[in-house]
Amino acid sequence: MQHAVKSVKNFIWHFVKKQKGGFIFTQVFALALALDATLWPYVIKVIIETIEGFQGPREEIWPVISHVIILGLILWFSLDIAFWINGLFKTKVYPRFEAAIRMFMYDYVNSHSYSFFINNFTGTIANKVADMPRSCGSIVDMAITTFIPTFVALIISIIFFSFISPVFALILGGWVIIHIISCYFFLRKCTRYSTIHSESRSRLLGRIVDTITNNLNVRLFSRNTYEYQYTLEFQEDERKKYAETLWHIEKMRLILALICFSITGVLMIWYEVYSYRKGIIDIAEFIFILNTTFQITSITWMAGIMLPDFFREVGIARQALSIINSPVEIEDLPNAEELKVDRGEIKFNNVTFKYHHNENLFENKSVTILPGQRVGLVGVSGSGKTTFAHLILRHYELEGGEILIDGQDIRNVTQESLRRQIAMIPQEPMLFHRSLKENIRYGDITASDEQVYRAAKIANCHEFIMSLPQGYDTIAGERGSKLSGGQRQRISIARAILKNAPIIILDEATSALDSITEKQIQSSLAQVTYNRTTIIIAHRLSTLTDVDRIIVFKKGDIVEDGSHKELFKKRGEYYKLWEMQNDGFLPKELIDE
Ligand SMILES: Nc1ncnc2c1ncn2[C@@H]1O[C@H](COP(=O)(O)OP(=O)(O)OP(=O)(O)O)[C@@H](O)[C@H]1O
Ligand SMILES: [Mg+2]
């Protein structure tokens, strides 16, 4: 499906079409409700007519009415069976329908750019993915089992009435038309309110998940009461919007009920009595019309009871649809080719970049990292080192200029091939809530156990993993929370080693390690990164003494570029950074940044 789905209706239709046959059968058997509401009054009418027409003694009535009663019983039984078959179809159709929507949503969410995840609450996104299938399922179910059968029952009743007297059909038909027009009028208003409510609910859930994710901070600062109050504000907003939505739905229901009462209640019954008095209808028809009117108003009323739920689900689905309707920011070109890396040269040509609505971080930046070069990126916090790495991975689009890898513009190649050729260890490595072995193997899912162990040995984590009771089968915890920071870093180093990519980016990859372990890993990493283009971002400058080149960042600018020796001699920014680390004192001008 193309993105930018205009409405929930189109979205649902797309998935209903996939199981056309199943849905048609579900709908056909659900129409038992329409028959249930309309045929019973007819059966009663026939029974009255038969009794009325019978002239003999009452004891002999049975043979005369038995066939109608038996037919009635068969109808009863058949409708029960039809309801059951409807349920049976549901067991097949609905789970598949919801699963298809869930997987579609999940897949679509994952195709969004990195910045989408940075700019949206994880909780909100997860909720939308979870809400969409459930809401669509409820909407379809309400339509199939209630709204459509109610409508069909109305049509059947109009047909029945037209046989008795066109005036009855006209009254009922008139009511149906006014009812539908009013529903349509209210529909847009109620949907708007329920969407506003849903947005508020989504914000609230996002906040709740944010607080739960940050529960350590809440504890460390004893902010339970504060967080409660903070969440309460969002809860208040949600409550108000929910109440407002319900109020509008109830207003609509009241108006619909008044229309129903005045047309079908007052007008219909008045005309019925009038027709009876004038001899236009007999007693059987009188009871039939009365019965049908009650049945019809009662199932319409039942359908009305569902309206708050219906609108809530439509609102939720509309909200969730925003995931689909927010375009994927970074997409492969239609003719994108695979990136081929044989040398590993990275070239920034007049690159200009800014984060949304911010000032330019990089302006007309040009720099070339030569094939196989080991480059250290340094600079104070916030100077743009991590951003530089993200740009190579095309996590963000440039404002201007281009980035070339071995002469290929990274915009012209597939994102998958680009990211396959680069192994990055992010500044805050995260692990899956899976076993350590699975986490390491993520670098190369085809790797054998032996290869996993070898990578773990290079990354200096084999020993600690083996000392755990469950060894490689130990579960890492959510985001790797059951491991220490240094252990998590080593697992992600092992994972990156296994990826065996020609370009390697280490963003503070060893910052959480003690200096002995760091030294050990560095010598192993030196072998792994040998002859591969390697970018090492590090605050601890002592880890960069053996790189080929050091690039010093300052507010997105490259202020120095050269070997450790050259820059050290120059006594500029790099030297200042060194000094700062040696004394433990920050020069004043750096503090001001
Ligand atoms: N997703 C984002 N949206 C907006 N601004 C961002 C985003 N990520 C980073 N920035 C800003 O861009 C600037 C550069 O950040 P970056 O993470 O590249 O710095 P860094 O040099 O890696 O810092 P550190 O040494 O602390 O890791 C900072 O001012 C930061 O606030
Ligand atoms: Mg950084």
Side-chain angles (χ1 to χ4, degrees):
M1 194 196 314
Q2 281 301 309
H3 46 253
V5 183
K6 286 276 181 314
S7 63
V8 172
K9 193 177 72 210
N10 290 0
F11 182 84
I12 291 178
W13 184 237
H14 174 82
F15 289 95
V16 166
K17 270 193 303 193
K18 289 187 173 180
Q19 294 189 76
K20 230 185 272 166
F23 275 111
I24 288 174
F25 278 110
T26 314
Q27 181 62 82
V28 166
F29 288 100
L31 293 182
L33 180 76
L35 298 181
D36 194 44
T38 49
L39 290 188
W40 279 115
Y42 187 73
V43 170
I44 292 168
K45 174 178 174 282
V46 177
I47 293 176
I48 295 173
E49 277 168 349
T50 316
I51 294 174
E52 254 198 334
F54 181 66
Q55 301 296 330
R58 284 188 182 190
E59 291 84 51
E60 288 165 24
I61 191 82
W62 176 244
V64 181
I65 59 160
S66 60
H67 63 280
V68 187
I69 303 248
I70 290 169
L71 268 177
L73 285 174
I74 291 173
L75 176 69
W76 183 347
F77 185 70
S78 311
L79 291 180
D80 274 352
I81 295 288
F83 276 125
W84 185 74
I85 296 177
N86 163 262
L88 214 61
F89 271 105
K90 279 188 189 174
T91 61
K92 292 270 174 257
V93 175
Y94 286 12
R96 253 192 237 154
F97 173 73
E98 292 193 16
I101 294 181
R102 193 171 295 111
M103 289 316 284
F104 172 82
M105 292 293 285
Y106 169 74
D107 193 41
Y108 197 90
V109 162
N110 282 327
S111 67
H112 272 296
S113 66
Y114 177 65
S115 64
F116 175 83
F117 294 92
I118 299 283
N119 294 326
N120 288 287
F121 277 126
T122 318
T124 309
I125 301 173
N127 266 311
K128 286 180 180 175
V129 173
D131 280 344
M132 193 56 147
R134 195 189 43 74
S135 292
C136 291
S138 305
I139 292 169
V140 169
D141 190 41
M142 283 185 238
I144 286 183
T145 51
T146 309
F147 300 145
I148 294 175
T150 305
F151 184 69
V152 171
L154 286 165
I155 302 293
I156 296 175
S157 306
I158 291 172
I159 295 169
F160 274 158
F161 281 10
S162 66
F163 286 121
I164 297 171
S165 153
V167 181
F168 290 111
L170 229 74
I171 296 174
L172 193 59
W175 170 59
V176 171
I177 291 167
I178 295 174
H179 191 84
I180 289 174
I181 293 173
S182 326
C183 275
Y184 183 75
F185 174 76
F186 285 117
L187 194 81
R188 298 178 65 172
K189 213 169 178 176
C190 290
T191 310
R192 201 174 65 238
Y193 277 104
S194 55
T195 308
I196 293 172
H197 164 231
S198 208
E199 276 162 12
S200 171
R201 175 179 167 274
S202 200
R203 271 197 302 274
L204 168 69
L205 294 177
R207 294 285 159 182
I208 291 176
V209 175
D210 188 41
T211 309
I212 294 172
T213 320
N214 271 296
N215 83 85
L216 181 62
N217 282 334
V218 179
R219 268 158 216 279
L220 291 178
F221 294 91
S222 308
R223 291 282 183 248
N224 270 327
T225 321
Y226 174 79
E227 282 305 320
Y228 183 83
Q229 286 302 333
Y230 187 70
T231 309
L232 196 62
E233 275 176 37
F234 288 88
Q235 177 56 80
E236 262 305 284
D237 184 66
E238 189 273 345
R239 185 193 61 74
K240 277 190 198 142
K241 297 207 163 125
Y242 189 22
E244 216 170 341
T245 311
L246 285 181
W247 164 237
H248 277 88
I249 294 171
E250 288 312 318
K251 224 165 49 178
M252 163 185 173
R253 289 206 320 128
L254 178 69
I255 293 170
L256 291 180
L258 286 178
I259 295 172
C260 175
F261 178 73
S262 49
I263 298 181
T264 58
V266 179
L267 193 60
M268 182 78 88
I269 292 173
W270 171 79
Y271 187 70
E272 225 195 324
V273 175
Y274 171 82
S275 306
Y276 186 71
R277 283 173 56 193
K278 293 280 172 194
I280 301 170
I281 53 170
D282 58 22
I283 181 75
E285 286 168 333
F286 184 94
I287 290 175
F288 170 68
I289 292 168
L290 201 64
N291 239 339
T292 306
T293 308
F294 283 143
Q295 287 276 7
I296 288 295
T297 47
S298 117
I299 62 165
T300 315
W301 186 74
M302 289 296 286
I305 285 185
M306 288 197 166
L307 285 177
D309 281 344
F310 178 76
F311 283 113
R312 201 187 55 210
E313 299 303 343
V314 170
I316 291 174
R318 270 184 127 196
Q319 243 283 302
L321 207 60
S322 62
I323 287 192
I324 314 281
N325 284 341
S326 57
V328 173
E329 283 190 10
I330 301 177
E331 275 189 296
D332 288 346
L333 290 177
N335 52 351
E337 290 182 1
E338 298 261 300
L339 172 73
K340 288 185 196 73
V341 180
D342 24 62
R343 298 179 309 127
E345 182 196 65
I346 303 169
K347 200 172 188 142
F348 276 54
N349 265 346
N350 299 317
V351 168
T352 300
F353 172 76
K354 66 170 181 199
Y355 285 106
H356 289 282
H357 313 302
N358 292 358
E359 281 178 21
N360 279 350
L361 181 61
F362 296 129
E363 236 172 298
N364 280 327
K365 186 126 315 310
S366 291
V367 60
T368 303
I369 294 171
L370 299 174
Q373 204 169 41
R374 284 165 56 81
V375 181
L377 303 190
V378 302
V380 291
S381 177
S383 55
K385 306 178 296 293
T386 301
T387 308
F388 185 83
H390 280 307
L391 292 185
I392 299 174
L393 283 149
R394 204 180 164 208
H395 282 157
Y396 300 99
E397 286 296 36
L398 304 180
E399 291 286 314
E402 55 182 7
I403 298 173
L404 307 171
I405 294 181
D406 280 354
Q408 302 148 80
D409 189 330
I410 58 168
R411 270 175 303 209
N412 298 337
V413 299
T414 63
Q415 295 172 67
E416 209 194 323
S417 69
L418 168 70
R419 289 167 200 154
R420 217 184 302 133
Q421 308 281 13
I422 303 171
M424 177 171 176
I425 299 168
Q427 198 159 7
E428 283 147 19
M430 297 227 193
L431 300 182
F432 289 100
H433 184 65
R434 302 175 194 173
S435 74
L436 297 182
K437 194 193 276 176
E438 278 174 284
N439 268 293
I440 297 175
R441 191 173 274 147
Y442 212 71
D444 174 9
I445 42 177
T446 62
S448 66
D449 280 0
E450 290 316 311
Q451 286 169 308
V452 170
Y453 302 149
R454 205 172 63 227
K457 279 176 190 158
I458 298 173
N460 226 314
C461 53
H462 180 73
E463 242 173 69
F464 99 75
I465 295 174
M466 291 308 283
S467 71
L468 296 170
Q470 258 107 36
Y472 277 88
D473 295 324
T474 310
I475 300 294
E478 202 185 3
R479 284 169 290 125
S481 54
K482 290 188 182 172
L483 300 180
S484 76
Q487 288 169 339
R488 208 160 43 225
Q489 274 195 336
R490 281 180 278 164
I491 301 278
S492 47
I493 292 173
R495 180 167 65 183
I497 289 171
L498 209 57
K499 190 169 177 185
N500 197 18
I503 297 170
I504 299 169
I505 302 175
L506 311 170
D507 191 355
E508 296 285 344
T510 53
S511 60
L513 301 177
D514 62 280
S515 33
I516 298 170
T517 318
E518 187 178 33
K519 273 259 153 352
Q520 286 168 347
I521 291 188
Q522 261 171 356
S523 61
S524 337
L525 273 180
Q527 295 163 25
V528 175
T529 59
Y530 179 73
N531 243 346
R532 295 180 206 221
T533 310
T534 310
I535 295 174
I536 307 170
I537 301 172
H539 278 295
R540 221 182 285 171
L541 301 178
S542 56
T543 59
L544 292 175
T545 45
D546 59 346
V547 296
D548 304 320
R549 173 184 175 190
I550 285 167
I551 299 178
V552 186
F553 279 74
K554 189 177 179 183
K555 290 185 184 166
D557 239 0
I558 293 178
V559 287
E560 281 173 18
D561 185 349
S563 70
H564 165 71
K565 264 193 190 147
E566 283 165 10
L567 297 188
F568 204 78
K569 260 193 226 152
K570 203 173 164 191
R571 311 223 152 208
E573 288 297 324
Y574 183 64
Y575 182 80
K576 270 192 216 160
L577 292 170
W578 261 98
E579 260 200 337
M580 172 177 95
Q581 284 190 3
N582 288 347
D583 307 339
F585 290 109
L586 217 65
K588 193 175 173 312
E589 61 267 39
L590 289 177
I591 299 174
D592 290 340
E593 280 193 354

